[in-house]
């Protein structure tokens, strides 16, 4: 179990290519291990950890706040999509050939959730249900910088200042155990609406010329302001609900390591290999967050006594 755990940890935890991991094991232990053997161990680890990954998925259904993201990965020479659902203590990965609502429904994590869904305003997330949503303000801040550079108008800087000040003050209030009251929330909302209104006056809706078919293309600034208007509650939810984060950073951090693996080791050659990676990384990242050694997680799995995540 120790050697098999080391092999899987090197390839799925530390993202080494199979050949380099086999060479390292040989130098460390004197055992001649082929890349094919490592590949077989990964399959065994995936089977041993499947129950743990299923439990993590069920726990995410009850999370009060759930962060979601997705990213493209090459699998069997084709573009596939890795979907992530995460909290501060749990991480779940799933691979699918599709990016949109079909994949989200097939995985069954987000549609069954009970809490607030934090995301980057990608359209399919809004189609899941009518539950509560919260938007990633880090994405919006980047778009505000672009709007400021393109238009030279004052409202992007004002909105940036409002969001950053609200983030700083809400974080301080959480630490002191006294979240914002209704008056403070109303004050932030009033300033927010004033900034959006000022931006809309400078970037009005473009009307379609008479006789022209189709929709009239709007400016990027107008489209951004429209998002601020339509999704004001989701953007400011971090002020009203102290459990909601300012950004979607939890999910974005979870996406980075699989991207590192693709950069170092190349694409996944088979769908089965990609699925095995998702199951193993689900367990490793979750239990790492909960204070367990990733090597010990794998050793226990091979020993037939897998570590289960805390409720």
């Amino acid at each position: 179990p120790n050697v098999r755990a080391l092999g899987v940890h090197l390839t799925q935890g530390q993202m080494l290519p199979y050949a380099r991991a086999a060479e390292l094991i040989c130098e460390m232990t004197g055992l001649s291990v082929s890349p094919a053997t490592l590949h077989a161990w990964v399959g065994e680890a995936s089977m041993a950890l499947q129950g743990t990954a299923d439990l993590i998925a069920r726990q995410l259904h009850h999370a009060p706040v759930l962060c979601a993201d997705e990213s493209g990965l090459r699998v069997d020479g084709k573009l596939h999509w890795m979907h992530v659902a995460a909290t501060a203590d749990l991480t779940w990965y799933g691979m699918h050939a599709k990016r949109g609502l079909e994949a989200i429904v097939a995985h069954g994590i987000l549609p069954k959730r009970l809490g607030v869904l934090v995301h980057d305003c990608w359209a399919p997330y809004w189609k899941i249900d009518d539950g509560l949503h919260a938007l990633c303000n880090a994405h919006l801040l980047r778009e505000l910088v672009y709007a400021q550079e393109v238009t030279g108008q004052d409202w992007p800087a004002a909105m940036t200042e409002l969001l950053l000040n609200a983030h700083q003050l809400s974080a301080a209030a959480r630490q002191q155990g006294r979240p914002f009251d209704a008056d403070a929330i109303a004050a932030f909302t009033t300033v927010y609406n004033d900034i959006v209104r000022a931006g809309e006056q400078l970037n009005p809706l473009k009307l379609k010329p008479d006789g022209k078919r189709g929709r009239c293309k709007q400016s990027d600034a107008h489209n951004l302001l429209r998002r601020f208007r339509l999704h004001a509650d989701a953007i400011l939810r971090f002020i009203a609900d102290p459990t909601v984060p300012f950004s979607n950073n939890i999910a974005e951090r979870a996406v980075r390591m699989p991207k590192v693996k693709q950069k170092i080791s190349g694409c996944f050659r088979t769908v089965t290999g990609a699925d095995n990676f998702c199951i193993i990384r689900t367990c490793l990242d979750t239990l790492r967050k909960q204070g367990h050694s990733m090597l010990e997680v794998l050793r226990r799995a091979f020993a037939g006594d897998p570590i289960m995540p805390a409720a």
Side-chain angles (χ1 to χ4, degrees):
N2 292 331
V3 177
R4 285 187 289 172
L6 176 61
V8 176
H9 182 41
L10 291 174
T11 58
Q12 311 300 299
Q14 300 301 323
M15 314 301 179
L16 285 180
Y18 284 96
R20 288 171 59 189
E23 181 181 353
L24 179 58
I25 291 174
C26 181
E27 293 178 356
M28 292 177 62
T29 66
L31 300 175
S32 180
V33 177
S34 70
T37 299
L38 288 177
H39 189 270
W41 289 349
V42 168
E44 293 175 17
S46 176
M47 292 180 60
L49 291 170
Q50 180 69 67
T52 307
D54 293 341
L55 177 58
I56 292 169
R58 292 194 297 271
Q59 290 180 346
L60 285 170
H61 296 160
H62 303 280
V65 177
L66 184 59
C67 299
D69 202 357
E70 78 291 329
S71 182
L73 288 176
R74 304 292 296 182
V75 180
D76 192 22
K78 302 175 183 177
L79 179 62
H80 282 59
W81 293 91
M82 182 193 64
H83 295 255
V84 175
T87 70
D89 300 312
L90 302 168
T91 304
W92 180 90
Y93 295 93
M95 197 73 67
H96 201 279
K98 301 291 185 179
R99 183 188 183 190
L101 188 61
E102 179 182 343
I104 293 173
V105 172
H107 289 148
I109 302 292
L110 305 186
K112 296 180 181 179
R113 85 189 194 283
L114 300 177
V116 179
L117 180 61
V118 184
H119 55 84
D120 56 6
C121 204
W122 186 45
Y125 290 128
W126 296 104
K127 299 177 182 179
I128 298 173
D129 52 35
D130 57 355
L132 293 178
H133 294 251
L135 292 188
C136 174
N137 285 285
H139 281 79
L140 294 174
L141 290 176
R142 289 193 288 268
E143 294 190 60
L144 286 169
V145 170
Y146 175 74
Q148 173 73 39
E149 294 174 349
V150 171
T151 65
Q153 298 167 357
D154 294 334
W155 67 268
M159 182 62 76
T160 298
E161 183 179 5
L162 172 67
L163 292 176
L164 291 177
N165 286 340
H167 175 41
Q168 183 179 7
L169 292 173
S170 63
R174 289 171 188 164
Q175 290 179 353
Q176 296 174 8
R178 49 173 186 81
F180 288 144
D181 56 23
D183 292 338
I185 296 172
F188 277 114
T189 304
T190 299
V191 177
Y192 176 95
N193 289 330
D194 289 343
I195 295 172
V196 173
R197 193 177 301 111
E200 289 172 338
Q201 293 176 355
L202 297 173
N203 302 275
L205 176 69
K206 295 181 181 178
L207 300 178
K208 182 177 61 176
D210 294 338
K212 294 289 185 178
R213 301 178 60 185
R215 293 184 299 178
C216 183
K217 183 178 180 181
Q218 305 297 325
S219 66
D220 291 336
H222 175 86
N223 291 332
L224 179 59
L225 285 162
R226 182 174 181 271
R227 197 183 319 160
F228 275 108
R229 174 67 69 187
L230 290 177
H231 304 304
D233 289 342
I235 293 171
L236 296 177
R237 181 149 282 122
F238 75 95
I239 297 176
D241 187 345
T243 65
V244 174
F246 179 76
S247 72
N248 196 29
N249 186 253
I250 292 175
E252 292 177 348
R253 285 203 310 266
V255 168
R256 290 173 192 160
M257 292 309 294
K259 300 296 285 187
V260 169
K261 179 173 178 57
Q262 180 173 257
K263 184 176 182 180
I264 296 175
S265 304
C267 68
F268 293 97
R269 295 187 179 183
T270 64
V271 174
T272 300
D275 289 338
N276 289 340
F277 174 81
C278 288
I279 292 171
I280 295 171
R281 283 300 306 183
T282 293
C283 300
L284 292 182
D285 201 50
T286 294
L287 295 170
R288 177 192 60 81
K289 289 179 178 180
Q290 299 185 11
H292 297 281
S293 160
M294 291 195 290
L295 188 61
E296 178 64 12
V297 170
L298 292 167
R299 193 196 67 78
R300 288 272 297 272
F302 279 117
D305 182 26
I307 299 174
M308 291 299 172

